[in-house]
Amino acid sequence: EEGYSHYSHSKALSITNKYTVRLYWLLCSWRNRGGFRISVSALKKLLQLGPGYDKYSNLVARVLKPSCDELRSRFPIWFLYRDYFGEDGIRRLAFKIKLFLPAEEEKRLKNEANDFFFRVLTQSGIRPDSLWDILSTVETEDLKPLSRKIVEILGFMKEHTEIQHPEQYLRGAIRAWLDNWAVRYQDISE
């Protein structure tokens, strides 16, 4: 959750790249939300990057790629990212937080999520089997944020009774949310 991070101090001390340490802290802070968005300029400020990183290719080659590689090879939390330009023309990054979980934990979380999806969809008059092809492909770290999003969409649909094909509407909204990281994650730029 925002403003709260749980991370291993000893693990953070073992990181060799100073920017990886800062990204590790940031990832731990946002892991329950699945990811975040940030403008490139805000990220550079947060990481205290100098003018040598003004070119986006330098940021990728000297910070993002090495940090992602180090975290992925040594830690249970790492990230994927996509860059995009906002409507204001400012370059932003969307970070998707990835977690390595033991197989038993992953199975437990998926079963809990499937039970939740079945219950909430059934209560809303949606046939759960109409969405299993999408829901069965959702990655474990996306289950909590997707659960919140489904509840939000179902609330919207309840208020807008003019929606004529609720299963199709919900299916399209879930697919759009899964595909578009720029919509999916909260912007933490200042």
Side-chain angles (χ1 to χ4, degrees):
E1 295 175 7
E2 306 86 40
Y4 173 78
S5 63
H6 177 75
Y7 62 96
S8 169
H9 185 68
S10 60
K11 284 190 178 206
L13 290 175
S14 73
I15 295 173
T16 58
N17 179 326
K18 65 182 174 183
Y19 304 122
T20 304
V21 173
R22 294 175 187 150
L23 284 167
Y24 173 69
W25 171 83
L26 190 60
L27 296 172
C28 289
S29 298
W30 285 88
R31 75 172 172 269
N32 287 335
R33 291 290 183 182
F36 58 91
R37 293 177 289 136
I38 189 168
S39 68
V40 170
S41 60
L43 180 65
K44 288 177 9 185
K45 182 178 178 183
L46 183 72
L47 297 178
Q48 300 173 352
L49 299 176
Y53 297 91
D54 285 346
K55 285 181 60 178
Y56 179 71
S57 59
N58 288 346
L59 176 67
V60 170
R62 294 167 45 195
V63 177
L64 296 176
K65 184 167 179 0
S67 294
C68 183
D69 291 346
E70 183 173 14
L71 289 171
R72 188 172 188 178
S73 68
R74 299 179 48 215
F75 293 86
I77 188 169
W78 53 286
F79 63 91
L80 299 174
Y81 66 93
R82 294 179 182 169
D83 73 314
Y84 66 98
F85 288 92
E87 292 178 9
D88 54 7
I90 294 174
R91 182 177 240 156
R92 290 182 167 76
L93 293 166
F95 284 82
K96 178 179 181 175
I97 298 171
K98 303 286 289 174
L99 301 170
F100 289 119
L101 297 171
E104 286 180 14
E105 176 73 1
E106 192 166 319
K107 184 178 179 180
R108 182 187 65 76
L109 290 171
K110 284 188 176 188
N111 285 339
E112 286 176 4
N114 286 337
D115 290 345
F116 172 80
F117 294 144
F118 182 83
R119 192 172 54 254
V120 75
L121 292 172
T122 301
Q123 289 172 354
S124 298
I126 305 288
R127 293 179 310 112
D129 61 322
S130 68
L131 298 170
W132 284 139
D133 63 315
I134 295 174
L135 298 176
S136 65
T137 64
V138 174
E139 296 172 294
T140 306
E141 59 270 3
D142 293 330
L143 293 172
K144 276 187 186 178
L146 178 60
S147 297
R148 285 190 291 268
K149 187 61 180 179
I150 287 176
V151 168
E152 179 186 318
I153 296 166
L154 290 172
F156 177 85
M157 291 169 57
K158 187 176 183 178
E159 292 175 9
H160 293 83
T161 55
E162 71 274 10
I163 296 172
Q164 294 185 7
H165 304 286
E167 288 177 2
Q168 289 176 338
Y169 181 87
L170 181 60
R171 182 181 186 80
I174 291 171
R175 177 58 47 214
W177 184 84
L178 287 169
D179 292 343
N180 190 347
W181 293 4
V183 170
R184 186 173 176 179
Y185 300 126
Q186 182 177 342
D187 194 322
I188 62 169
S189 304
E190 298 176 332

